[in-house]
Amino acid sequence: MAKLIYSAIASLDGYVEDEHGDFQWAAPDAEVHAFVNDLERPIGTYLYGRRMYETMAYWETVDRDTQSAESRDFTDIWRAADKIVYSRTLQAPSTTRTRIESAFEPAAVRQLKESASSDLSIGGAEIASAALTAGLVDELQLILNPIIVGGGKPALPDGFRVGLELLDERRFKGGAVYLRYRLRA
């Protein structure tokens, strides 16, 4: 059975966006970006909410010739994976290898995990919150940036409580820290 992994780049105080919706402070440097690429390489399918999908669709049309080596690598990784977007408003995808689902159905995601030959990643704090509260997420991968933004969109849902087992950790030269946890039932 494939794992469902929630990966997020967050501020030290746990936000993926500040109170103005800005997340430019989360842009990874070359070292972190190369590390993220290695984390994402085995992912076969990305599960996104609409807003995260619209942000990530950038990787479909970006000019590879103008990118850094790390960005080119991520572009290739992202384009090679399947995407499922949960949206009540999108009618058609703007990227290849993408399908739209009108609602996030935990039973369908469980079935997808059982039938997938490679791991799945869920992206976007709101859709990830639904997966976390439904008990679908197997691993949590956080990259915490050395910044406190004081408010905004939290990476993790309020009121959600679960035990964690630390599987891996890493410090980066720029001050970011990677933490990988298995969720305990």
Side-chain angles (χ1 to χ4, degrees):
M1 175 166 24
K3 292 181 292 190
L4 180 59
I5 300 166
Y6 173 37
S7 297
I9 298 177
S11 63
L12 184 61
D13 53 346
Y15 296 97
V16 294
E17 295 177 1
D18 67 19
E19 61 189 4
H20 306 290
D22 183 33
F23 54 89
Q24 293 304 310
W25 48 264
D29 63 20
E31 180 189 22
V32 172
H33 203 169
F35 181 79
V36 168
N37 290 350
D38 289 339
L39 292 177
E40 298 297 312
R41 204 173 310 285
I43 299 299
T45 305
Y46 291 107
L47 310 180
Y48 293 130
R50 180 191 53 81
R51 283 182 286 199
M52 178 59 89
Y53 170 68
E54 288 174 342
T55 298
M56 297 303 290
Y58 161 84
W59 298 101
E60 182 84 10
T61 58
V62 65
D63 180 2
R64 292 179 82 259
D65 295 334
T66 64
Q67 293 183 300
S68 67
E70 297 83 15
S71 291
R72 278 193 307 275
D73 189 24
F74 185 79
T75 297
D76 295 342
I77 292 165
W78 193 84
R79 289 178 182 177
D82 293 326
K83 296 102 183 151
I84 301 172
V85 181
Y86 300 96
S87 174
R88 291 179 298 278
T89 57
L90 286 179
Q91 299 301 309
S94 62
T95 59
T96 60
R97 302 183 64 121
T98 305
R99 78 174 196 252
I100 307 293
E101 297 287 340
S102 61
F104 180 81
E105 299 288 342
V109 175
R110 276 189 196 89
Q111 200 169 44
L112 182 61
K113 285 175 58 174
E114 290 173 8
S115 65
S117 59
S118 54
D119 289 339
L120 306 122
S121 175
I122 192 157
E126 291 175 26
I127 198 78
S129 291
L132 283 162
T133 57
L136 296 169
V137 176
D138 301 293
E139 283 189 12
L140 178 62
Q141 297 177 354
L142 294 174
I143 295 179
L144 301 177
N145 278 312
I147 186 171
I148 294 172
V149 298
K153 183 184 286 186
L156 299 168
D158 285 340
F160 178 69
R161 185 179 175 128
V162 67
L164 301 171
E165 175 187 352
L166 182 65
L167 300 175
D168 196 10
E169 61 186 289
R170 180 170 171 182
R171 292 174 52 176
F172 297 94
K173 292 176 192 161
V177 177
Y178 165 73
L179 300 168
R180 176 178 164 230
Y181 294 99
R182 179 182 358 237
L183 279 74
R184 295 183 183 164

